[in-house]
Amino acid sequence: MANDGWVLGIESTAHTFSFGLVDPHGIPRPSFSGTLRPDKGGIHPREAADHHVNVASELLLSLMKKEQLSANDFCLIAYSQGPGMGPCLRTGAAVARSLSTHLKIPMVGVNHCVAHIEIGRQQCGSDDPILLYVSGGNTQVIARLDGRYRVLGETLDIGVGNMLDKFARNHGIPFPGGPVVEKNSNRWLEQNPNATLEGLELPYAVHGMDLAFSGLLTAATKMVADGSPLDSVCWSLQEHAFAACIEVAERALAHTGKREILLGGGVACNQRIREMSKLMCAQRGATSYVPEPKYCIDNGTMIALLGHLEFRQGRVTNLDFSGVDQEMRTDQTPITWP
Ligand code: AMP
Ligand code: MG
């Protein structure tokens, strides 16, 4: 079933501001995005929000030009209503409200985490996966059960991406550090093809079905200070952190009887976590899916897709209820589509 127009999606939960589209049949089009990359330190929510305000109109105009669309082609504005950083979310919501009011079309506020799941399912043709959502701010193992995406396990402190970024920052590597940690790990393996973890052991991040990464961060930082080569610790850090995520995901497969893993979030761009997931799935006769990097990272297209799905269920967000929810939970959103 087609909507009578295009859905514009607005993503603004953290460092990335992004507009994306799905066409009237719900077919995604690539997003136009801008990402704040602070010279030093982490992301300051206020600075990120200012960045978003500055880039918004140019991104939207570029997207419309590329897709040869005019404002009349839109039937719905979808935006990330949560979870995320307050000032960033509020910028996206303000843009959504203005566009919706000005164009006299409805808007729908959507759950950012659910959007990661739905774009992954759509892109990979995955039906009923365990989602391993590994991003900067979030690390969750999620399954659809009884009409909701339920969080079966999650980080008790920081997200795995945030842990990698902080470790990198402790060693002078600017945000985002995750990709550099991956590059350093690969270099260590190239130079040490028979590398072992002996002498590079770090605390294990699994706590039942949950995870915790700050102990790992402290121990890895200390290991470098104590003289281990940075590249070797990057490698060990990836091995420990990703093995922990994969272990919880595997247990989720076992408990639920599901047969698919779907990776999502920026850390899912990492080749090693992809490989670990594939290996684990191969051993259990399951399948590991991962969308293209442009749909792993935060993007407006996934917000547009979820908006399209919600709209077809008759859901819209009235102005009075359009406020953001920094703490929105993955299982807050009823999942009523197939
Ligand atoms: P997100 O929060 O989903 O937008 O993703 C951003 C996070 O993904 C940051 O913490 C990045 O460091 C991390 N990230 C991106 N690419 C990689 C990679 N190749 N390996 C590890 N982490 C990555
Ligand atoms: Mg995200």
Side-chain angles (χ1 to χ4, degrees):
M1 187 178 70
N3 291 333
D4 60 355
W6 293 65
V7 180
L8 179 68
I10 305 170
E11 160 57 28
S12 74
T13 52
H15 45 69
T16 298
F17 193 84
S18 176
F19 286 106
L21 293 167
V22 296
D23 78 6
H25 298 276
I27 308 296
R29 297 296 176 96
S31 314
F32 272 66
S33 309
T35 297
L36 175 74
R37 291 173 195 280
D39 295 333
K40 44 183 230 263
I43 305 163
H44 190 290
R46 193 63 253 167
E47 277 170 24
D50 288 345
H51 161 268
H52 298 350
V53 171
N54 291 334
V55 297
S57 41
E58 199 184 315
L59 288 173
L60 179 55
L61 292 174
S62 305
L63 177 66
M64 289 170 67
K65 190 165 165 210
K66 156 114 192 303
E67 299 291 345
Q68 299 188 314
L69 295 174
S70 76
N72 297 332
D73 293 315
F74 300 131
C75 69
L76 177 74
I77 308 293
Y79 66 100
S80 274
Q81 200 165 13
M85 299 177 177
C88 302
L89 287 168
R90 282 192 284 277
T91 305
V95 173
R97 284 183 205 109
S98 352
L99 287 171
S100 161
T101 310
H102 181 70
L103 299 175
K104 301 190 174 57
I105 56 175
M107 63 181 164
V108 60
V110 306
N111 186 322
H112 173 91
C113 302
V114 173
H116 273 291
I117 304 174
E118 292 301 341
I119 193 80
R121 288 182 64 211
Q122 198 263 2
Q123 288 292 303
C124 300
S126 156
D127 177 39
D128 185 21
I130 295 291
L131 182 85
L132 176 54
Y133 173 36
V134 280
S135 74
N138 296 291
T139 301
Q140 295 185 327
V141 175
I142 298 164
R144 182 167 172 168
L145 297 164
D146 203 15
R148 305 270 169 156
Y149 286 116
R150 312 278 172 185
V151 179
L152 303 181
E154 67 186 318
T155 181
L156 301 173
D157 46 36
I158 54 178
V160 62
N162 190 228
M163 184 275 287
L164 295 171
D165 294 337
K166 282 187 164 147
F167 174 77
R169 197 195 315 150
N170 289 345
H171 301 95
I173 299 161
F175 176 87
V180 182
V181 171
E182 178 172 27
K183 222 173 69 199
N184 293 355
S185 305
N186 292 341
R187 189 167 53 208
W188 179 252
L189 281 184
E190 272 161 33
Q191 291 169 356
N192 300 275
N194 301 318
T196 73
L197 288 171
E198 211 180 310
L200 294 172
E201 295 90 350
L202 291 168
Y204 204 50
V206 174
H207 299 257
M209 283 296 282
D210 292 320
L211 297 149
F213 294 106
S214 52
L216 204 53
L217 168 64
T218 308
T221 303
K222 182 166 181 300
M223 195 174 264
V224 179
D226 289 346
S228 298
L230 178 61
D231 288 359
S232 73
V233 181
C234 287
W235 174 62
S236 173
L237 190 57
Q238 281 200 170
E239 293 300 304
H240 283 84
F242 298 162
C245 296
I246 298 296
E247 180 178 323
V248 175
E250 178 171 20
R251 215 171 309 142
L253 278 181
H255 285 323
T256 58
K258 296 187 195 281
R259 314 203 57 88
E260 302 168 333
I261 293 277
L262 175 63
L263 298 179
V267 180
C269 296
N270 184 289
Q271 293 301 330
R272 181 58 178 147
I273 198 168
R274 290 171 176 229
E275 185 187 11
M276 279 190 191
S277 179
K278 254 201 181 136
L279 288 170
M280 179 274 280
C281 284
Q283 283 171 8
R284 308 185 52 88
T287 312
S288 176
Y289 293 104
V290 51
E292 281 180 74
K294 68 170 183 266
Y295 293 131
C296 283
I297 58 173
D298 289 347
N299 65 91
T301 303
M302 68 182 190
I303 304 303
L305 176 64
L306 182 52
H308 167 89
L309 293 170
E310 300 249 13
F311 192 54
R312 290 203 309 180
Q313 303 291 312
R315 290 186 213 149
V316 293
T317 302
N318 295 328
L319 210 53
D320 291 350
F321 296 96
S322 65
V324 303
D325 180 358
Q326 293 184 61
E327 311 290 333
M328 188 181 282
R329 297 283 304 166
T330 305
D331 57 11
Q332 229 167 297
T333 303
I335 310 299
T336 46
W337 46 86

